[in-house]
Amino acid sequence: MTKPVKIFLLVALFALYYLIPVEFRALWQPDETRYAEISREMLANGNWVTPHFLDLRYFEKPVGGLWINSLGQWIFGHTNFAVRAGAIGSTTLTAVLVYWLGVRLFNQRRVALIACVIFLTSVLVYGVGTYATLDPILTLWLVASMCSFWLAAEAKTTSRRVMGYALLGIACAMGVMTKGFLALAVPVLAILPWSLWQKRFKELLLFGPVALVVAATVSAPWALAIAHQQPDFWHYFFWVEHIQRFAQADAQHNAPFWYYVPIFLLGSLPWLGLLPGALLIGWRARRESPGPGYLLCWVLMPLLFFSLANGKLPTYILPCFAPLSLLLAHYGTTVAPATGRMLRANGWINAGFGGLVTVALLTVLAPWSIVGRPLYTSAEVFRLLLAVMAFASWAVIGVLTVKSPSHRWTWAALCPLGVALTLSAAIPERIRDAKQPQSFIETVAPRMSASRYLLADGPGVASQLAWSLRRSDILLYAQQGELRYGLSYPDAQHKYVSREAFDNWLAGHRREGNVSLVLLLSSDDEKPEVTTPPDFIWRQGRLVYLEYDHIP
């Protein structure tokens, strides 16, 4: 296969995964709709220092990642792709860094290129990399940090080494401004044990301050600006968003120590069969060259750190998949073909996974479910068939790789492709109505646009309303959620209406114009709990739209 053909296939694979299907997927709430609206408001109000969400101060995240997300909407407009452009662009640049590091470590472009493919097609990377959240952006800066340190570690001159540490400082600063001090912890956790093992700790002490000074210099302008605009930002951000989230017993997203084991394994699909061998070979090769040991520290130390923390989310371990992709590519290219046993095992794992999900769809989740709780209704057989075809193709590709594992093992990159292309059309309406309110809002948007006041019972639906209608004056009803702190300011009291106060509030405010209320109920059978009957009601699954006419 010629080089132009390989480049064409790589570009086509990237487009089929990351470009073509993304625009057709509705935004998920609460994460995607939140970051879509925060970035839209940043463009609208011109405040690039303090993030605002529904016109409220939003201190849960710094501003760096929001800058990148805003850039996506500035370039591509008010579209679903634009909302996800920051995540997609960051994932793409991370893959480029994976290639760069692969060439440096193994001196083989083929290994580096396959590592890119493995990275871009791993389930966790793809799932998060096409999802509008800050984790792909943070991962870019963390991978840039680790690449910068490697550049410094292999430098032959002092000036080049200083440049490597300076780049490390820039990447760490951008990571801190994207998601906080976690951007400092991950590189330190990986770099420190490797430096001790390689007996380069003195070098780290000598040049490390360069990175610290550069990081402080780069982040200082925004850090001082936010402290000037919002004096309590750093207290809230450091204590609540770092100490409480990760360390306290009641930390947000609390989960057991082993939580990341299944996430790590499933996230490695469709390359799971290569995982044991890649980690083992990385351990054995550490004595021959420093590169595999560096990658191994980079995979295992952050994974252990996040496992020890009380607060856990699947996206936290995303940075581990960059070095893991290099280990998998190295093993699959240079070691595994000798016997083909693990390459064949990887094919059978993919065949089994695709087949198992296909059987589950047809027997458990279908309208004729044998357990009596189907996910798809009788009117959604076409959606079900699309899902079946997607996972059946996963199984078929797995079987094809088994027949000639040494030559076809990279075909595993095609396993998730059917899911990627059919995801938006195969999602059951029950999930769509609860997690993707975009179609619901588009249906009632003409009526909403005429309302003087819009309320929603939670930040998730409220952010979708705000982004879809391009208005940030949405009021919160009954639930404050993550906006509790922003609502505590005296100038934000009017942005929240409790359930108990709603009737009195409604009686006064409908004199100024129509009032609309959107509710996300806990089940399809639940009835809206409102005392004052609406003049118009529209329901789609768990989402309910209530409209109260203007009474002069």
Side-chain angles (χ1 to χ4, degrees):
M1 188 181 295
T2 63
K3 184 176 180 180
V5 173
K6 291 180 180 179
I7 294 175
F8 172 78
L9 291 176
L10 181 61
V11 172
L13 185 72
F14 177 80
L16 289 171
Y17 271 109
Y18 284 86
L19 299 181
I20 294 175
V22 175
E23 172 62 25
F24 302 101
R25 298 177 191 166
L27 301 181
W28 291 77
Q29 65 97 6
D31 290 332
E32 290 200 298
T33 56
R34 176 202 304 126
Y35 292 118
E37 176 56 18
I38 293 174
S39 297
R40 189 198 67 81
E41 290 185 37
M42 184 170 284
L43 288 170
N45 61 33
N47 189 337
W48 296 83
V49 175
T50 302
H52 284 82
F53 183 19
L54 303 179
D55 286 337
L56 298 168
R57 299 168 182 84
Y58 188 76
F59 291 170
E60 291 210 357
K61 298 294 183 291
V63 79
L66 304 176
W67 287 344
I68 294 177
N69 283 342
S70 299
L71 186 63
Q73 295 196 52
W74 180 67
I75 295 174
F76 299 105
H78 195 75
T79 63
N80 294 345
F81 177 82
V83 173
R84 297 169 173 135
I88 293 172
S90 297
T91 303
T92 305
L93 290 175
T94 303
V96 172
L97 290 175
V98 168
Y99 177 83
W100 177 87
L101 187 59
V103 173
R104 291 274 181 163
L105 290 176
F106 302 113
N107 198 29
Q108 296 184 45
R109 295 186 181 277
R110 182 168 182 263
V111 172
L113 187 61
I114 291 176
C116 284
V117 174
I118 291 175
F119 178 76
L120 290 171
T121 57
S122 296
V123 167
L124 184 64
V125 174
Y126 178 69
V128 182
T130 54
Y131 186 77
T133 186
L134 299 181
D135 296 280
I137 303 172
L138 174 64
T139 298
L140 169 62
W141 299 123
L142 293 178
V143 173
S145 298
M146 298 301 291
C147 289
S148 299
F149 178 78
W150 187 258
L151 180 66
E154 66 174 9
K156 303 300 182 182
T157 63
T158 300
S159 61
R160 193 170 180 83
R161 186 161 294 156
V162 170
M163 182 184 71
Y165 275 94
L167 290 174
L168 171 62
I170 294 172
C172 287
M174 293 306 302
V176 169
M177 289 195 293
T178 296
K179 213 171 179 181
F181 301 107
L182 181 68
L184 299 177
V186 171
V188 169
L189 287 168
I191 290 171
L192 184 59
W194 183 85
S195 298
L196 292 171
W197 169 43
Q198 291 290 311
K199 299 179 180 179
R200 305 182 69 162
F201 187 64
K202 290 184 179 179
E203 176 186 314
L204 184 63
L205 289 178
L206 180 63
F207 291 95
V210 174
L212 294 176
V213 170
V214 171
T217 302
V218 171
S219 58
W222 172 75
L224 295 174
I226 188 71
H228 176 72
Q229 280 194 13
Q230 310 294 340
D232 58 334
F233 172 84
W234 285 111
H235 169 76
Y236 174 87
F237 183 68
F238 179 76
W239 181 253
V240 176
E241 290 301 310
H242 285 77
I243 304 302
Q244 290 185 6
R245 172 165 289 194
F246 290 100
Q248 292 189 356
D250 59 346
Q252 190 179 13
H253 310 301
N254 207 333
F257 175 80
W258 50 264
Y259 173 83
Y260 285 116
V261 174
I263 302 297
F264 189 68
L265 296 178
L266 290 175
S268 300
L269 287 168
W271 313 99
L272 178 58
L274 307 179
L275 182 60
L279 295 177
L280 181 61
I281 293 301
W283 174 256
R284 291 175 178 174
R286 77 193 190 282
R287 300 181 184 277
E288 302 172 8
S289 62
Y294 185 67
L295 296 176
L296 204 60
C297 286
W298 186 357
V299 173
L300 298 180
M301 296 308 295
L303 188 62
L304 177 61
F305 169 75
F306 288 118
S307 296
L308 291 172
N310 287 322
K312 297 179 177 69
L313 281 175
T315 54
Y316 291 169
I317 63 170
L318 184 63
C320 300
F321 281 78
L324 181 64
S325 299
L326 287 164
L327 290 172
L328 291 169
H330 175 64
Y331 174 71
T333 304
T334 61
V335 180
T339 63
R341 184 174 58 186
M342 297 311 297
L343 299 179
R344 187 175 290 107
N346 190 61
W348 282 122
I349 289 174
N350 283 316
F353 174 78
L356 182 64
V357 177
T358 300
V359 171
L361 285 166
L362 291 172
T363 59
V364 178
L365 304 179
W368 48 85
S369 172
I370 61 176
V371 298
R373 296 182 63 85
L375 188 60
Y376 290 90
T377 66
S378 57
E380 298 180 282
V381 174
F382 180 71
R383 293 177 183 270
L384 172 65
L385 290 178
L386 286 177
V388 168
M389 290 172 58
F391 284 99
S393 68
W394 192 314
V396 170
I397 294 170
V399 171
L400 290 176
T401 62
V402 170
K403 292 186 176 181
S404 182
S406 297
H407 297 91
R408 296 180 178 176
W409 70 276
T410 54
W411 290 16
L414 300 175
C415 285
L417 185 57
V419 178
L421 293 175
T422 62
L423 180 63
S424 59
I427 293 176
E429 290 183 359
R430 181 178 300 178
I431 296 178
R432 183 201 66 185
D433 293 341
K435 290 296 184 179
Q436 296 181 320
Q438 201 164 350
S439 63
F440 169 84
I441 292 172
E442 289 173 355
T443 302
V444 293
R447 302 189 66 99
M448 288 184 184
S449 299
S451 294
R452 171 64 180 84
Y453 293 100
L454 286 175
L455 298 91
D457 65 338
V461 177
S463 58
Q464 180 68 76
L465 281 172
W467 187 80
S468 296
L469 301 176
R470 306 189 193 190
R471 50 186 292 185
S472 55
D473 61 340
I474 313 299
L475 307 182
L476 291 172
Y477 166 76
Q479 300 180 48
Q480 299 182 7
E482 63 192 281
L483 293 174
R484 184 181 303 275
Y485 192 82
L487 289 166
S488 66
Y489 283 83
D491 60 359
Q493 300 298 307
H494 68 285
K495 295 284 290 185
Y496 172 72
V497 181
S498 67
R499 182 177 284 107
E500 296 76 16
F502 179 69
D503 288 334
N504 290 333
W505 180 93
L506 179 64
H509 286 77
R510 68 192 300 185
R511 298 174 186 269
E512 303 174 29
N514 291 1
V515 175
S516 295
L517 172 61
V518 179
L519 304 175
L520 177 62
L521 306 180
S522 58
S523 69
D524 293 343
D525 301 326
E526 186 182 357
K527 304 297 182 184
E529 294 184 7
V530 289
T531 305
T532 305
D535 297 296
F536 175 81
I537 185 169
W538 173 264
R539 181 162 189 164
Q540 182 176 302
R542 292 169 53 193
L543 285 166
V544 181
Y545 172 71
L546 308 175
E547 184 176 283
Y548 297 89
D549 292 340
H550 175 214
I551 298 180

